[in-house]
Amino acid sequence: MLARQRQTAILGRVRTTGGVRVTELATEFGVSDMTIRRDLETLHDQGLIAKVHGGATAAGPGSTDEPGFHAKSVRQSTEKAAIAEHAARLVRPGAAIALSAGTTTAELARRLLDVPDLTVVTNSLPVAEILHADGRPDRTVVLTGGVRTPSDALVGPLAVAAIAALHLDLLFLGVHGISERAGFTTPNLMEADTNRALVAAADRLVVLADHTKWGTVGISSIVGLDAADVLVTDDRLAPQAQRVLGDRVGELVTVPAKRGAE
């Protein structure tokens, strides 16, 4: 059996059982313990398993892990509400704005229902539904086409083509992760392309992200930290992260979240 075939079989076993032992795999495949350890090292380096003493276990959520919209909506709800409340103050009547997909941008959409004469472009099905259901006659909601993701975003070439022809005053961007090295990231390659198109179409970029996004890295970078004119986050963001972001983004805003509401 070739090494690649053996590693594929080992990976399948880990995903099925949750863990494997070096000695058992060596016996099963008729190779030395050292050969199995090299196989595990290769799989570990690829981020497919986690090495432990004497064997390996399934890796934790990786850079392509993408929870669904509902699963994300119940996380850090207090912080997201506070971030959305502040972001809504940045919107003026008569503006043409964009809201990317995300649970924090959905919170923002609920707080824009009283703002008159808005044009809102979005690739988020929940955001479009929130704004459409309100039925305000002086609001135009533009929903891009595209392929639906687990987080209810519309992405891909159709979305990018629709956005490319637009000129917007302001983009509110939700992100999966923030890293000093990788910038603002997403676990979905096509969503990264779509978000970059939104960034290119807008005069100003406002990123909305709670403190848990710091240190999380999705598979694809959207833009670097210095692309953000404003980053709105909550006051639980670590001091070291505040120092890094304060130096890199145009303006860092940390809003207090009401405790005990989660």
Side-chain angles (χ1 to χ4, degrees), residues 8-23:
T8 300
I10 292 170
L11 179 60
R13 181 71 56 81
V14 171
R15 288 175 171 171
T16 300
T17 65
V20 292
R21 296 182 62 83
V22 169
T23 54

Side-chain angles (χ1 to χ4, degrees), residues 121-123 143-147 154-166 168 188-201:
V121 176
T122 186
N123 68 319
L143 179 64
T144 71
V147 179
L154 297 177
V155 301
L158 288 176
V160 170
I163 295 163
L166 303 176
L168 305 166
N188 187 299
L189 291 170
M190 286 199 296
E191 187 162 16
D193 288 337
T194 305
N195 284 340
R196 280 192 289 270
L198 286 168
V199 171

Side-chain angles (χ1 to χ4, degrees), residues 58-75:
S63 60
T64 60
D65 180 63
E66 185 175 5
F69 182 87
H70 177 72
K72 292 192 292 184
S73 67
V74 298
R75 302 175 182 174

